[in-house]
């Protein structure tokens, strides 16, 4: 090894390795629900940690009910804008028109909560949903409030009973859907809800994390 090569090797050996930043929000594979709390809207969806397909995941079962699991956590989207998770549904709600109040139910949704100002009524949510009918990539205002925007990542029965992995740039998606650059989110939530249709739904959620 010549002196120049040795010097380069010596310097590199003392340089810190750059590692991707990762923030774990839902550590379900380790059986951990730390920080998650339930919020009931109408009835109670049953959330449990279970072994499914050889995996430890969060199971959600809803029958004419709507409650969600929330975790308050500040995420700097300038540093870690990409959300990752996996999910599976037993089936969707094929008779439900998710764009009207009477059909505003989803077998699975993962959403982020952020503030668009100092007042509580400026709280907004971007809902990534497994839609009943809407095409993948479509988004629309929730029929109850435009502060909640729905965004289809999976739709219908074609992928039902299969695990699907998702990765989304939340910073870009909020800009696209709301037309604003929001750099911080304040909470992440999961919900399987059937209170509007009175139906039943079953879903499973894998770990949730943010990365750069």
């Amino acid at each position: 090894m010549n002196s120049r090569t040795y010097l380069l090797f010596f310097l590199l050996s003392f340089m810190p390795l750059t590692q991707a930043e990762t923030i774990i929000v839902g550590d379900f594979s380790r059986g951990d629900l730390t920080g998650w709390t339930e919020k009931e809207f109408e009835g109670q969806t049953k959330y449990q940690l279970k072994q499914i397909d050889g995996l430890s995941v969060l199971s959600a079962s809803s029958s004419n009910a709507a409650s969600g699991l929330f975790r308050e956590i500040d995420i700097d989207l300038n540093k870690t804008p990409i959300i990752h998770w996996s999910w599976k549904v037993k089936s969707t709600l094929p008779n439900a028109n998710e764009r009207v109040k009477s059909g505003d139910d989803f077998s699975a949704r993962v959403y982020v909560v952020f503030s668009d100002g100092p007042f509580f009524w400026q709280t907004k949510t971007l809902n990534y949903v497994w839609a009943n009918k809407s095409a993948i990539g479509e988004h629309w205002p929730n029929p109850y409030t435009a502060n909640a925007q729905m965004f289809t990542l999976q739709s219908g029965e074609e992928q039902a009973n299969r695990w699907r992995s998702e990765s989304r740039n939340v910073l870009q998606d909020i800009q696209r859907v709301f037309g604003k650059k929001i750099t911080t989110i304040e909470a992440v939530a999961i919900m399987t809800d059937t209170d509007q249709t009175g139906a039943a739904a079953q879903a499973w959620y894998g770990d949730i994390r943010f990365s750069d």
Side-chain angles (χ1 to χ4, degrees):
M1 181 182 295
N2 61 39
S3 59
R4 181 176 297 179
T5 303
Y6 179 83
L7 177 61
L8 179 60
F9 176 80
F10 179 81
L11 291 174
L12 287 174
S13 67
F14 284 92
M15 290 177 64
L17 296 176
T18 302
Q19 296 183 345
E21 185 170 358
T22 299
I23 298 175
I24 304 298
V25 178
D27 205 5
F28 310 135
S29 63
R30 295 179 179 271
D32 189 357
L33 281 175
T34 301
W36 290 88
T37 58
E38 187 168 4
K39 182 175 182 180
E40 186 174 323
F41 297 98
E42 186 68 37
Q44 192 171 32
T45 299
K46 188 175 183 180
Y47 295 99
Q48 292 179 300
L49 290 169
K50 287 189 174 183
Q51 290 289 323
I52 302 292
D53 301 328
L55 305 170
S56 180
V57 299
L58 181 69
S59 169
S61 179
S62 176
S63 180
N64 190 25
S67 64
L69 287 186
F70 291 75
R71 182 174 179 188
E72 293 185 0
I73 182 170
D74 290 335
I75 302 291
D76 185 345
L77 297 178
N78 285 321
K79 295 181 178 179
T80 53
I82 313 296
I83 186 172
H84 311 267
W85 78 94
S86 58
W87 54 357
K88 182 173 83 164
V89 301
K90 183 176 182 180
S91 64
T92 57
L93 308 171
N95 296 323
N97 179 1
E98 59 261 283
R99 301 195 184 214
V100 300
K101 291 182 179 180
S102 61
D104 181 40
D105 283 340
F106 298 93
S107 293
R109 65 169 101 182
V110 173
Y111 58 102
V112 297
V113 183
F114 61 92
S115 178
D116 193 24
F119 304 109
F120 72 89
W121 61 80
Q122 292 174 295
T123 298
K124 296 183 178 181
T125 65
L126 175 60
N127 292 244
Y128 295 113
V129 300
W130 194 309
N132 304 309
K133 296 180 178 181
S134 297
I136 293 173
E138 290 186 342
H139 58 86
W140 66 95
N142 182 274
Y144 285 93
T145 172
N147 281 355
Q149 295 283 328
M150 324 307 286
F151 195 122
T152 300
L153 295 189
Q154 300 291 335
S155 184
E157 297 296 296
E158 184 177 353
Q159 300 298 328
N161 276 309
R162 298 179 184 179
W163 281 102
R164 305 301 298 170
S165 296
E166 312 288 357
S167 293
R168 298 296 307 185
N169 188 311
V170 178
L171 185 69
Q172 292 178 1
D173 285 344
I174 292 176
Q175 176 73 51
R176 172 182 172 184
V177 174
F178 289 90
K180 294 187 175 183
K181 184 177 182 180
I182 300 294
T183 58
T184 303
I185 63 169
E186 300 169 356
V188 176
I190 291 169
M191 188 158 72
T192 293
D193 59 310
T194 58
D195 59 316
Q196 301 300 326
T197 59
Q202 179 80 50
W204 300 269
Y205 300 88
D207 292 350
I208 303 172
R209 63 185 174 87
F210 280 81
S211 71
D212 53 14

